[in-house]
Amino acid sequence: MTTAWSERFARRTHGMQSSAIREILKVTQQPDVISFAGGLPAPELFPVAEVQAACARVLQERGRQALQYTITEGYPPLRQYIVEKMARYGIPADPDNVLITSGSQQALDLIGKVLVDEGDPVVVEAPTYLGALQAWQPYGPRFIPVPIDNDGMRVDLLEPILKRHRPKLMYALPNFQNPAGTTLSRERRERLVHLASDYGVPLIEDDPYGELRYEGEHLPPLIALDCQKLVAEGKAGSDGLLRGDVIYLSTFSKTLAPGLRLGWIIAPVEVVQKLVQAKQGADLHTSTFAQMVACEVVRGNFLENHVRRIRAFYRQRRDAMLAALEQYCPPGVTWTEPQGGLFLWVRLPEGLDAEVVLRDALAQKVAFVPGRSFYADGSGYNTMRLNFSNAEPDRIVEGVRRLARAIERHLEPVHVAR
Amino acid sequence: MTTAWSERFARRTHGMQSSAIREILKVTQQPDVISFAGGLPAPELFPVAEVQAACARVLQERGRQALQYTITEGYPPLRQYIVEKMARYGIPADPDNVLITSGSQQALDLIGKVLVDEGDPVVVEAPTYLGALQAWQPYGPRFIPVPIDNDGMRVDLLEPILKRHRPKLMYALPNFQNPAGTTLSRERRERLVHLASDYGVPLIEDDPYGELRYEGEHLPPLIALDCQKLVAEGKAGSDGLLRGDVIYLSTFSKTLAPGLRLGWIIAPVEVVQKLVQAKQGADLHTSTFAQMVACEVVRGNFLENHVRRIRAFYRQRRDAMLAALEQYCPPGVTWTEPQGGLFLWVRLPEGLDAEVVLRDALAQKVAFVPGRSFYADGSGYNTMRLNFSNAEPDRIVEGVRRLARAIERHLEPVHVAR
């Protein structure tokens, strides 16, 4: 008997598809393409020499440990480092609140596995991080998109949704959001944390870019506000342990190197314990070696100093892109002005489809990701995400010039009419 | 409103628990405990110097690539290496048939995610690898245990089960099975592959230990037999691509180092493509750096020569354990005599509970894992798994002596009566 494998796949796979980004990235492998499509850090910033020195030290001093299995929770000194790092951002974590993950993509998968039942309503921003939609889709949520504006998620629209749908969780990227580059305002942060607590809805705070702020004032993480609120209300507990409704995620991918695949989760102890059980089944633990090497590289103040360099570097690229958009884009095209991160968001005039523009742009050797992929409901046909971290400033200017031309061609009356 | 997190967890978490092994391992952290509990490779065999040289070369020559994101499928030269390695075992894979995973634990998770719907019957050996039960349990299978004997899975019992339950998949560890150390005979391999094909049931072949054979003749993997069968029947396809009903898993954890977390899946292209989509959501990709370092270490014939050393080393430990069991164990206690791998399996007289023996053994500073954890149905109360790879021969002898004493104490009439 011959059965097609496609007939054997589980129902949860039916919505799975390869990320549109990964498909576009294949085109952008050609060296003459100017790509705004990926979300890749600039490799010229990777601390290669420091990683090499760390590998040598780790293997010389603790080689057997580095190559052996370790505990699922993560390498204890790395968890301790993260505790201290988090404290600087007002997050009162204990090592038992920290789980090391294989990139923060795994954090999203584990959270979906542990919290999302089939049919559960899940509030997401519109647009939101594509990888979260991909991670959670197999667990069968019903996504409820909430629009964003220049100040991030429209928190003012949330309460009726919370009342009506009683979501299983809410998902927010407060800093320099992927894809839109927007930042949630201080007022909205306060309000969002109160709503999560008033309605008892877990809030997932995804913060891969928080350290990459190029201007403006640092805003407190949602989890820090939630902890402050519990203290103010006398509900913080006498053990001093982190509790509350927020689960915080971050990563070393944007500050150290994505190729190590290291992220972390900060959550109440009982959540970490459940996530640990899920992680045991998923990959036993994250690479011992990668954890020990990263821990060796980042300790002391290396990472803080390194991130200062990254900020100066990306800020220049962001500025180049903003200036080029200003110079070349036809009227009717608008974009966000991110205070940090890797991305900005372009909105085309109504009626113009970014996927049509993409075909033309690719012919001109420029790539970007059409915005539709970032909407749980497939809307956003006239939007696009531009990445500015992975090309040199003069290439950015040239790329934007070509892209603006491609847009312009489609704005001629015959195209607008379609 | 305060909601307990435990009330928020998804239904699929209700069966999740921390592995019994990991709990016992906490006790065995004490250096004076002789542990047969883990499944740890001997760290004195890790090729630390070679890994260090590989790190230096990779970072010097391709540091930026090694620290950057890569494709989900895995580092192409490593996939090519695996293709060549598999060919030596009669497995005709193409790079498109290979997916690199974060240990073969992740392979199990992805297979569960892609193939198992809630309520699907899944045939497993009894006992079987605990990590497979843990990986799949969240996807809601109904496990159907099939007993094993000294020749591995009782394939002669399968046909009525296939007829009655139409399982979604079958899971087998043909070589030196974890936990029991048994090996599926050549005849049963042939029969199992035919049954899978006759009933159109996917067969998951988990082979972490296949290269660690200490005596006897190498037996062909199920996937190789399946491919031969298709060729013989003229169903192999003119493109020469691997097809059929078997998905094969293996890992570098037992031959190179588990701390790198590197495994692989060999499967038909359409299965790999679906697994790639699932892996994108799960962790984007496995550590670029770990893949490139492993590739640098294993290439040429390093790994084959290294595995030869491992075999000689573990063989001695296995022999020490078998001799000590023979010398010290009271009558009525039986055990398997594995031809390879890391484990053997002890059966106590009926009525004697291995968990009761464990308490006593721990007091004597000896640890093992009671067999019950390895049974999907919680049976096997009078069995235990002993690992022989992680202790020196004289410690093994001393540990078995103490363990035999603990068993003996419980065989006294007063204990048997309980």
Side-chain angles (χ1 to χ4, degrees), chain B residues 49-221:
Chain B
E50 286 81 0
V51 171
Q52 196 171 329
C55 288
R57 267 199 305 280
V58 163
L59 288 168
Q60 251 153 40
E61 293 164 15
R62 284 156 294 150
R64 291 179 181 182
Q65 180 189 359
L67 298 180
Q68 187 59 286
Y69 288 110
T70 187
I71 54 173
T72 305
E73 290 82 349
Y75 180 54
L78 186 60
R79 287 157 74 208
Q80 182 58 42
Y81 169 86
I82 287 169
V83 162
E84 290 158 20
K85 184 184 181 69
M86 294 294 92
R88 288 198 297 276
Y89 292 94
I91 303 170
D94 179 270
D96 288 343
N97 299 119
V98 182
L99 172 63
I100 305 292
T101 57
S102 302
S104 66
Q105 186 67 37
Q106 185 185 45
L108 292 166
D109 180 42
L110 296 178
I111 285 168
K113 196 178 260 185
V114 156
L115 286 174
V116 179
D117 275 316
E118 200 163 334
D120 276 350
V122 168
V123 168
V124 296
E125 294 164 322
T128 190
Y129 173 52
L130 173 57
L133 302 177
Q134 276 190 302
W136 293 340
Q137 178 276 329
Y139 304 114
R142 188 160 53 81
F143 289 115
I144 304 180
V146 173
I148 62 170
D149 63 18
N150 283 333
D151 287 328
M153 188 197 270
R154 289 281 306 275
V155 175
D156 58 307
L157 303 177
L158 265 185
E159 195 152 14
I161 291 171
L162 294 173
K163 277 194 179 130
R164 182 163 161 216
H165 297 282
R166 297 275 157 188
K168 190 58 174 287
L169 53 89
M170 298 192 278
Y171 174 62
L173 299 112
N175 294 319
F176 332 121
Q177 196 233 34
N178 178 0
T182 54
T183 294
L184 195 64
S185 69
R186 170 83 193 216
E187 294 65 35
R188 290 190 186 178
R189 286 175 196 235
E190 301 271 7
R191 179 88 182 114
L192 181 56
V193 163
H194 273 87
L195 284 170
S197 140
D198 289 350
Y199 288 88
V201 178
L203 179 55
I204 314 300
E205 175 176 26
D206 193 358
D207 188 26
Y209 313 107
E211 292 180 83
L212 302 180
R213 177 179 276 281
Y214 315 133
E215 65 184 38
E217 182 199 10
H218 170 75
L219 294 174

Side-chain angles (χ1 to χ4, degrees), chain B residues 3 7 17 30 47 65 71 76 83 93 185 188 210 251 257 265 271 293-294 303-304 310 326 345:
Chain B
T3 312
E7 292 167 31
Q17 44 193 355
Q30 304 159 34
Q65 180 189 359
I71 54 173
V83 162
S185 69
R188 290 190 186 178
T251 174
I265 301 177
V271 180
V293 167
L303 197 61
E304 284 62 41
I310 298 177
E326 190 65 52
W345 189 246

Side-chain angles (χ1 to χ4, degrees), chain B residues 298-312:
Chain B
V298 297
R299 64 185 197 159
N301 286 318
F302 173 78
L303 197 61
E304 284 62 41
N305 294 328
H306 182 62
V307 165
R308 218 165 286 141
R309 279 188 59 214
I310 298 177
R311 281 196 290 253

